[in-house]
Amino acid sequence: MPMKNNLKTLAAATLLALSLPVTSAFAALQAGDKAPDFTLNAALAGKATTFSLQQALQKGPVVLYFFPAAFSAGCTLEAHDFAEATDEFNKQGATVIGVTAGNTDQIAKFSQLECRDKFTVAADPDARVAAEYKSTMEYKGKTFSDRTSYVIAPDGKILLSYTDKNPETHIQKAMDAVKKYRQANPA
């Protein structure tokens, strides 16, 4: 527990430090919009793989979350929280995928250490997919993925679109949307 509290303190300090010079480039796609399809190079449990949104949606809803950069304080906290919730997402029939445009060369290690081998992390090196989802931000002249979470129904419609620099709120918002979907669409 003390380590998690230290991470939260570090994350809060990092968010405060980043809050002024960071600007979002677009307003995120909204609930009801069609989710753009994509396939990206990814890692799961440290091993290279490919993630296809279309294939994942065949299994059920997808929790797609964009994060700025692997191993940054807020992104590490968010990855830990998603890892802890992954089993519950899976029970609800949902797949979790994290996508980053920042330090994409580190996704294999990040998937193993911070995502705790629980879910896939994909590299979006040119922020192309983040741009399609209107989930980018600029920082020091570079384009990164903004901290935005989506829940996408199997038909490709966005059920939840949530952007907030605070990583702590994303998991509960996504879980609530998945559970609401599951109640309306029992397996």
Side-chain angles (χ1 to χ4, degrees):
M1 282 300 195
M3 184 174 180
K4 189 169 185 177
N5 288 338
N6 288 342
L7 280 174
K8 287 183 180 184
T9 301
L10 183 57
T14 302
L15 290 171
L16 181 60
L18 293 177
S19 65
L20 294 176
V22 176
T23 57
S24 294
F26 306 100
L29 294 177
Q30 297 301 304
D33 290 346
K34 180 80 171 158
D37 190 28
F38 66 89
T39 300
L40 290 171
N41 292 327
L44 175 61
K47 295 179 176 53
T49 188
T50 302
F51 181 87
S52 162
L53 179 63
Q54 182 180 23
Q55 287 178 353
L57 288 173
Q58 292 174 9
K59 300 173 193 169
V62 171
V63 176
L64 165 63
Y65 85 95
F66 290 95
F67 62 97
F71 296 107
S72 63
C75 298
T76 296
L77 174 66
E78 187 174 30
H80 288 178
D81 289 349
F82 266 114
E84 288 175 16
T86 297
D87 289 341
E88 182 59 30
F89 280 117
N90 291 340
K91 284 180 190 173
Q92 297 294 325
T95 300
V96 175
I97 174 74
V99 176
T100 187
N103 52 359
T104 57
D105 58 327
Q106 296 181 33
I107 64 164
K109 188 174 178 182
F110 190 72
S111 75
Q112 191 172 31
L113 296 176
E114 308 305 351
C115 303
R116 300 177 179 155
D117 299 337
K118 290 288 201 168
F119 62 90
T120 304
V121 180
D124 186 15
D126 300 322
R128 177 188 56 80
V129 174
E132 288 178 17
Y133 278 81
K134 298 184 179 182
S135 181
T136 60
M137 65 179 187
E138 301 295 321
Y139 178 66
K140 294 187 177 182
K142 293 184 180 181
T143 302
F144 291 89
S145 338
D146 202 355
R147 190 175 312 284
T148 302
S149 296
Y150 293 97
V151 174
I152 304 166
D155 67 0
K157 295 287 184 194
I158 295 172
L159 301 173
L160 170 77
S161 172
Y162 181 71
T163 302
D164 190 333
K165 301 285 188 248
N166 180 349
E168 295 185 56
T169 54
H170 288 258
I171 291 79
Q172 190 59 54
K173 296 272 187 189
M175 185 64 74
D176 291 347
V178 167
K179 286 181 175 181
K180 183 177 178 183
Y181 171 81
R182 188 51 62 209
Q183 286 174 351
N185 302 279

